[in-house]
Amino acid sequence: MADSYSLDCEPTTRTLLRRVLDTADPLTPRRPRSARTSAQRALLETPSSKKLRSQTKMTARRRSHKARSIDRLAHIQADGHLEEQTPRTLLKNILLTAPESSIVLPESVVKPVPAPQVVQTSRRESSRGSLELQLPEVEPSTTLAPGLLAPGRRKQRLRLSVFQQGMDQGLPLSQEPYGNADASSITSSLNLTFATPLQPQSVKRPGLARRPPTRRAVDVGTFLQDIQDTSLALAPPGDSLRTPVTTLPTDTVLEDTQPFSQPLLGRSPSVQHSLPCPSHSGAKDVERAVGHRTWSSGPRLQNSGPGKPAQLMAGKVEEVGALALGFPNTSSNISGEDGVEPLQNGVGEEAEGRMKEGLSMRGVEEATGAQGSARAEEPEEHTEVTEAEGSQGAIEAKEPEGSSGDEDTPGRTASPELASSTPEFLRARRLQFPEPAPPPSTAVYTDDYSAEHPEVGWVGLTEITLTSEPPETLSARLPPRTRIPGPRPRQDPYKTGLNHYAKLFSFYAKMPMEKKSLEMVEKCLDKYFQHLCDDLEVFAAHAGRKTVRPEDLELLMRRQGLVTDQVSLHVLVERHLPLEYRQLLIPCAFSGNSVFPAQ
Amino acid sequence: MALSTTVSQRKLIKRKAPRGFLKRVFKQRKPHLRLETSSDLLVHLNCLLFVHRLAEESRTNACENKCGIIKKDHVLAAAKVILKKSRG
């Protein structure tokens, strides 16, 4: 039967179901119905065949939904109520009533609702049995069928098991004499299962479309990629293996001597183009590394504040990755790229040492100063620019540095040797420092700061350079850092607690109040607490105890006139305390002959 | 099966009792005494009732003075009365 069908539209649950109904051999005298349905069969053939063939759930459902709904509705209206409920009839009614999202079929083709038939247990069973038999065959399509049948909800995906459960429920129900009840129950069960959304035809796979796109992997991947790209940029100069892309940023960086330079922005994308390069290219790499570090450190600042700047300074992400293999992991607080961060940390520390040598590195200043992740990119660019300039100049100017730079170059090309590259890189950085004017002062400051916070340095440095007042920013930043709010006087938490009750006072008063009156209330509360504690102490001592127990409290309230013979403590508890506290205070019997709280 | 001694189920309780605050206050004033677990809830209940009475009295005072706002003296007068009443 299925073969004859042509796939005009995607099979849907509805079509499959209809197919099942149509194909199932009715052992009962349903000839008239089948005759009526035969007309629809041709109509249904196409969708149901399609349904059988393709296993698309949603689209099929939607397609046939509309087609079916109109037909079904017509049938149902025509035939009225269902006197005899069989699975077949129920399903057909469902198919008819459930709205479809597919193309509307001409009503003439609408299949008449199977007239309620004389319910015979045997017939029902047979029909159900046939249906059951059919179910396994159309199992793949039945998954679609529920979707087709479900009119409204868009959130649930029908499962074959659910659908089959519904069918199974229908089967035992058939044994019972009540037909309508069966029908209703079956229908309800079926309806429950057919909770597929009614989607417009354009939506092919509503379930999938509705799913929020999973971006996690992509984000991380892109982030890593970006990091690597930026790390490439930050690779120490002299890396002959550098891809041409990396050279581009250098040019731009060299040209632009301004902080917050735009070319750096252009460089970052170009940097990203270059795949992670294990080897470092001389100054350019340094610059990029710096920038990259700041950039990468920026996003990661939240995770590992100081560590990141150090890492950025130390090396490119790629390098770090390579270096991570061998580089000692100095900072453990770095999250994200495990290898990269430890390497960067170590590199950063080394860099700091270098910085202390005398060169004030802008990056160091920045690192010490700024922790903001948002500025990572800016400092990155800025750092890159400055470092690029400085590194080039410095490398050229100083022979030892140059030699170290040379060393750096080959070392960097080695890439896996973070230790060598990092120090060299730092050296190159330091070379750049003399150029910028502000750095010297900040450098000194930075050194001190870096000494204190070796890991903090790099990112802050970049950020500081961005701000034209690195020392100030540093100083501004430090106090909040070092200042620790000491233990407040006893008043504060005490006042807060009293405030809590003062607010309740204003709530109970239901009238506007002055601020002074609230202070007055707090004073009264203070006095009240004094009286309370004294009374409780007296009561506990009277009972020969040193622990205040609820009985003391009850006695206190009785003496205050709150608890009377008419108003018991439990009543007050019920009135004024939330339910959770009531459960804790008032003994209640639970199952298992237990009372909580224990009396 | 009994419920736990702590407030379980939903943690969001409206008008939570500042149990820590109450315990701390009691401990500061009477360090040689101990406060039982459930009794601090009753202390909180007592505070609520006290504040309630105080507010009622203040409101009455303010209304008697035909004042739309509760002023400090209203509260003061009310406190005198209520504190006297609350004296165990």
Side-chain angles (χ1 to χ4, degrees):
Chain A
M1 166 179 99
D3 303 338
S4 61
Y5 300 153
S6 61
L7 297 173
D8 296 342
C9 60
E10 295 187 25
T12 64
T13 313
R14 187 177 288 272
T15 56
L16 288 174
L17 194 57
R18 177 146 296 286
R19 255 196 83 216
V20 169
L21 289 174
D22 294 339
T23 54
D25 180 26
L27 302 182
T28 61
R30 288 205 236 147
R31 306 279 160 65
R33 183 160 64 90
S34 55
R36 291 193 299 271
T37 61
S38 63
Q40 288 192 350
R41 281 196 193 177
L43 183 75
L44 302 170
E45 280 183 2
T46 303
S48 21
S49 65
K50 280 205 166 181
K51 190 175 163 192
L52 286 176
R53 281 167 204 183
S54 76
Q55 307 221 350
T56 56
K57 295 185 180 181
M58 294 305 180
T59 44
R61 269 183 227 141
R62 276 176 271 118
R63 286 269 183 104
S64 45
H65 264 290
K66 282 183 186 168
R68 302 265 174 262
S69 57
I70 291 182
D71 302 350
R72 306 284 149 68
L73 285 170
H75 290 309
I76 288 177
Q77 292 162 6
D79 297 352
H81 65 283
L82 298 171
E83 293 177 356
E84 302 175 3
Q85 299 299 331
T86 67
R88 183 180 294 271
T89 59
L90 291 169
L91 285 174
K92 283 189 177 156
N93 287 333
I94 290 164
L95 291 174
L96 288 170
T97 53
E100 297 183 12
S101 61
S102 58
I103 299 169
V104 174
L105 297 175
E107 294 201 2
S108 59
V109 192
V110 167
K111 176 180 171 178
V113 173
Q117 305 161 7
V118 176
V119 175
Q120 297 180 7
T121 307
S122 63
R123 181 161 59 88
R124 254 188 268 153
E125 293 171 1
S126 65
S127 66
R128 289 213 183 79
S130 62
L131 283 171
E132 292 289 337
L133 292 173
Q134 294 290 334
L135 282 175
E137 298 174 15
V138 297
E139 216 174 303
S141 51
T142 46
T143 55
L144 299 174
L148 290 174
L149 296 175
R153 294 178 232 154
R154 305 192 166 221
K155 296 182 184 177
Q156 302 181 15
R157 295 195 66 139
L158 290 183
R159 300 186 195 273
L160 175 59
S161 58
V162 177
F163 177 74
Q164 282 185 336
Q165 283 170 13
M167 294 306 299
D168 295 337
Q169 290 171 14
L171 183 57
L173 285 173
S174 65
Q175 308 299 335
E176 297 164 3
Y178 20 113
N180 287 340
D182 293 346
S184 59
S185 61
I186 295 169
T187 310
S188 61
S189 66
L190 290 171
N191 286 335
L192 288 174
T193 60
F194 305 142
T196 50
L198 190 57
Q199 301 269 345
Q201 284 214 346
S202 58
V203 181
K204 286 301 173 183
R205 304 176 77 108
L208 296 177
R210 285 198 302 280
R211 272 191 220 134
T214 53
R215 295 188 183 139
R216 294 235 174 138
V218 175
D219 290 345
V220 173
T222 52
F223 179 75
L224 289 174
Q225 188 65 25
D226 293 345
I227 288 174
Q228 289 177 348
D229 295 336
T230 51
S231 69
L232 279 176
L234 297 177
D239 184 4
S240 59
L241 299 181
R242 277 264 164 238
T243 64
V245 178
T246 58
T247 59
L248 291 176
T250 318
D251 299 336
T252 55
V253 170
L254 292 177
E255 291 166 1
D256 187 3
T257 58
Q258 303 288 335
F260 310 94
S261 57
Q262 293 304 317
L264 286 177
L265 290 170
R267 186 173 67 76
S268 343
S270 64
V271 172
Q272 294 181 1
H273 291 313
S274 61
L275 292 179
C277 229
S279 59
H280 317 294
S281 58
K284 303 170 187 178
D285 295 338
V286 176
E287 300 163 14
R288 294 197 203 108
V290 173
H292 175 67
R293 272 186 232 152
T294 53
W295 175 80
S296 55
S297 68
R300 277 182 268 169
L301 272 177
Q302 301 161 5
N303 300 332
S304 61
K308 284 218 178 248
Q311 297 173 1
L312 287 181
M313 304 295 288
K316 322 39 187 184
V317 176
E318 344 154 351
E319 299 175 18
V320 175
L323 296 171
L325 300 175
F327 206 82
N329 187 351
T330 52
S331 70
S332 58
N333 60 344
I334 294 167
S335 62
E337 286 111 290
D338 308 336
V340 173
E341 297 185 351
L343 290 174
Q344 291 176 347
N345 233 345
V347 175
E349 289 178 356
E350 289 184 343
E352 293 165 359
R354 304 241 173 154
M355 292 169 12
K356 292 177 187 177
E357 293 180 14
L359 292 178
S360 59
M361 291 190 64
R362 197 174 301 175
V364 173
E365 299 166 1
E366 295 171 345
T368 54
Q371 301 297 325
S373 57
R375 304 168 56 188
E377 297 194 3
E378 287 184 345
E380 170 191 8
E381 301 172 2
H382 179 65
T383 312
E384 293 169 1
V385 176
T386 56
E387 292 191 345
E389 303 168 352
S391 62
Q392 291 194 355
I395 292 173
E396 297 170 357
K398 302 184 182 180
E399 289 186 356
E401 303 300 344
S403 62
S404 65
D406 295 339
E407 296 167 1
D408 293 346
T409 308
R412 295 211 179 108
T413 49
S415 81
E417 305 168 10
L418 243 190
S420 60
S421 57
T422 317
E424 296 168 348
F425 185 50
L426 295 171
R427 240 179 283 161
R429 294 243 181 117
R430 266 177 286 130
L431 297 180
Q432 302 166 12
F433 291 151
E435 291 182 3
S441 57
T442 55
V444 174
Y445 184 82
T446 304
D447 289 347
D448 298 338
Y449 183 81
S450 59
E452 297 172 5
H453 308 269
E455 298 180 81
V456 174
W458 303 104
V459 170
L461 290 176
T462 52
E463 295 182 5
I464 292 172
T465 53
L466 287 178
T467 62
S468 54
E469 304 167 351
E472 297 170 6
T473 51
L474 281 174
S475 56
R477 291 211 184 98
L478 282 184
R481 237 174 214 244
T482 54
R483 180 190 60 192
I484 301 168
R488 300 287 183 104
R490 170 182 161 276
Q491 270 300 329
D492 260 0
Y494 186 68
K495 276 277 183 189
T496 315
L498 290 184
N499 229 348
H500 177 81
Y501 288 109
K503 284 186 204 164
L504 282 172
F505 177 92
S506 61
F507 170 76
Y508 283 134
K510 293 183 176 58
M511 278 174 68
M513 297 179 58
E514 291 178 343
K515 299 284 194 267
K516 290 187 187 168
S517 55
L518 277 175
E519 294 170 3
M520 193 67 216
V521 168
E522 286 178 12
K523 277 194 207 158
C524 299
L525 275 170
D526 187 32
K527 278 218 179 119
Y528 162 78
F529 276 125
Q530 278 178 12
H531 291 314
L532 180 82
C533 293
D534 295 336
D535 292 343
L536 289 177
E537 182 185 10
V538 167
F539 294 156
H542 179 77
R545 284 185 264 106
K546 289 207 176 155
T547 308
V548 175
R549 302 197 43 204
E551 297 95 56
D552 303 332
L553 264 293
E554 178 161 9
L555 178 60
L556 173 69
M557 294 175 77
R558 186 170 279 275
R559 286 184 64 110
Q560 286 181 349
L562 294 167
V563 172
T564 64
D565 295 334
Q566 279 72 41
V567 178
S568 80
L569 177 64
H570 290 184
V571 169
L572 291 176
V573 167
E574 273 185 50
R575 270 192 218 157
H576 295 96
L577 289 187
L579 175 71
E580 287 77 9
Y581 298 154
R582 182 194 187 279
Q583 284 170 348
L584 296 177
L585 287 171
I586 298 178
C588 183
F590 287 90
S591 69
N593 195 28
S594 67
V595 175
F596 179 83
Q599 285 169 325
Chain B
M1 178 205 66
L3 300 176
S4 68
T5 52
T6 58
V7 175
S8 60
Q9 296 169 7
R10 60 188 186 97
K11 302 294 178 188
L12 176 69
I13 301 175
K14 293 182 185 169
R15 316 255 179 84
K16 244 190 205 176
R19 302 180 75 169
F21 164 75
L22 293 172
K23 185 125 202 258
R24 196 192 312 134
V25 165
F26 187 81
K27 262 304 183 184
Q28 280 170 354
R29 293 190 199 266
K30 309 282 173 191
H32 55 278
L33 289 180
R34 280 187 273 158
L35 195 61
E36 213 175 330
T37 306
S38 301
S39 51
D40 72 344
L41 292 175
L42 289 171
V43 168
H44 174 69
L45 173 67
N46 209 0
C47 295
L48 285 181
L49 292 168
F50 168 77
V51 166
H52 194 68
R53 283 186 294 177
L54 194 63
E56 285 295 325
E57 188 67 26
S58 308
R59 201 154 79 100
T60 310
N61 287 356
C63 289
E64 279 178 5
N65 289 5
K66 295 217 190 342
C67 223
I69 305 174
I70 291 178
K71 296 219 175 91
K72 190 175 173 187
D73 42 356
H74 302 150
V75 174
L76 198 57
K80 281 191 188 160
V81 175
I82 302 296
L83 275 172
K84 195 155 168 57
K85 239 200 227 180
S86 302
R87 204 148 30 120

